Amino acid sequence: MGLRPFHLAVPVKDLKETRVFYRDVMGFEEGRSSDRWVDFNFYGHQFVIHIVDKKEGLEVNPVDDHPVPVPHFGVVLEWDDWENLSARLKEANIDFVIEPYVRFEGEVGEQATMFFLDPSGNALEFKAFKNDSEIFAK
């Protein structure tokens, strides 16, 4: 298997200011966004900034009505590899933060995703795109 793009999401205090920094100062191409997060092409990798409200415990940002943990990291897998990992984790009775599901189904950027924590509480997201050329599509 060849090298796969990584996916990294980080919390930010000011979305507008941070967006300008990554887009205009760093020169990263902007992808999809909302009023709470922005995707960037980070040298071919998916880098996302999330505005977060400070809370006790795990910080989350609502995406598709799911409490997405921020920060989180992971790898963009091939679709079949994602399905195999999802099945393996379910068999291991992993306690998912967000159960495996497909978002943007039938749309540009269709992707499978799942979130879970490592034993130290670090949030991981593993995802796969139906079409890798749409990783940064708007």
Side-chain angles (χ1 to χ4, degrees):
M1 182 167 100
L3 180 64
R4 304 291 301 152
F6 72 74
H7 166 80
L8 177 65
V10 298
V12 300
K13 295 178 183 175
D14 183 316
L15 190 68
K16 182 178 179 181
E17 178 182 48
T18 308
R19 180 183 219 164
V20 168
F21 173 78
Y22 283 108
R23 183 188 61 216
D24 300 343
V25 176
M26 298 298 295
F28 295 158
E29 181 182 349
E30 189 175 310
R32 284 184 301 276
S33 65
S34 80
D35 61 343
R36 307 268 314 165
W37 55 268
V38 182
D39 280 355
F40 291 97
N41 181 341
F42 182 85
Y43 304 103
H45 302 281
Q46 189 183 40
F47 176 72
V48 187
I49 57 172
H50 283 266
I51 187 77
V52 296
D53 304 316
K54 289 288 183 183
K55 295 182 180 181
E56 291 295 319
L58 192 63
E59 294 177 328
V60 298
N61 191 20
V63 176
D64 295 341
D65 298 320
H66 294 283
V68 171
V70 179
H72 64 265
F73 66 96
V75 175
V76 178
L77 301 170
E78 297 284 350
W79 197 271
D80 289 344
D81 294 332
W82 183 90
E83 288 179 330
N84 292 335
L85 177 60
S86 173
R88 188 169 66 244
L89 294 171
K90 287 177 183 178
E91 288 173 15
N93 295 315
I94 292 296
D95 186 20
F96 290 97
V97 174
I98 298 175
E99 294 281 334
Y101 78 106
V102 176
R103 61 191 304 235
F104 306 124
E105 195 163 1
E107 300 176 28
V108 172
E110 180 175 349
Q111 60 192 267
T113 187
M114 61 182 141
F115 289 83
F116 53 95
L117 304 178
D118 73 10
S120 296
N122 294 303
L124 293 96
E125 176 187 20
F126 285 85
K127 55 174 38 182
F129 284 79
K130 277 291 187 179
N131 182 344
D132 280 354
S133 70
E134 297 178 356
I135 289 175
F136 300 107
K138 294 182 181 182

